[in-house]
Amino acid sequence: MINVLSSINWISVLVAFFAYFMLGALWFLKLFGEIYKVSLGKDGQELNNQGPLFIAGPGLCVLVIIIASAILFYNLNITTYGEAIEFAMLIGIGFLVSNTTNIAINPNIPRPLLYSVITSSYHLVGITMTSLILFAMR
């Protein structure tokens, strides 16, 4: 399966990384920042998320998601935009959304379903962008 590494367009991986990472900043800081705080039980408060861990950590996780997705994408020989969307939905719903929801369902997140909707939808949009970029730049 790893034999496709030399076939991957690594520029597309970097473009997808930049798009997904910047989407996260937009999603959690601008578009849904306040409701995200509500989901965490921190409404009206400043989040302590300005340190390097809170910037580099999500970036590294997104990069791993994209590299793993690119390996699968190339092994599955995705040849149409429709297949790219199907791939995004399979990975997005099957792994990212379900895992995010599983993480949300714990006693430390006071509004788990709200948290899941916000974070899962971010990942679903992010993986869809990634799949379309990987296909377009293949």
Side-chain angles (χ1 to χ4, degrees), residues 82-96:
E83 289 176 351
I85 296 292
E86 286 179 48
F87 175 81
M89 293 303 108
L90 179 64
I91 298 300
I93 295 167
F95 294 109
L96 299 172

Side-chain angles (χ1 to χ4, degrees), residues 5-86:
L5 288 176
S6 62
S7 302
I8 293 172
N9 177 346
W10 290 97
I11 303 276
S12 70
V13 169
L14 292 176
V15 169
F17 167 74
F18 181 76
Y20 205 144
F21 186 72
M22 294 311 294
L23 176 67
L26 178 67
W27 203 269
F28 293 104
L29 296 176
K30 298 294 181 196
L31 296 176
F32 301 103
E34 291 306 313
I35 193 126
Y36 180 64
K37 288 179 188 180
V38 169
S39 77
L40 296 171
K42 306 274 185 183
D43 41 320
Q45 301 176 38
E46 285 296 316
L47 296 179
N48 184 18
N49 61 352
Q50 300 303 311
L53 176 64
F54 300 103
I55 296 167
L60 180 60
C61 291
V62 162
L63 184 59
V64 170
I65 289 168
I66 292 169
I67 291 171
S69 295
I71 291 168
L72 291 172
F73 195 90
Y74 276 73
N75 271 292
L76 291 171
N77 195 29
I78 305 294
T79 59
T80 67
Y81 279 108
E83 289 176 351
I85 296 292
E86 286 179 48

Side-chain angles (χ1 to χ4, degrees), residues 110-125:
R111 308 272 312 267
L113 296 180
L114 180 60
Y115 175 90
S116 179
V117 167
I118 294 165
T119 306
S120 294
S121 57
Y122 154 69
H123 283 297
L124 199 52
V125 171

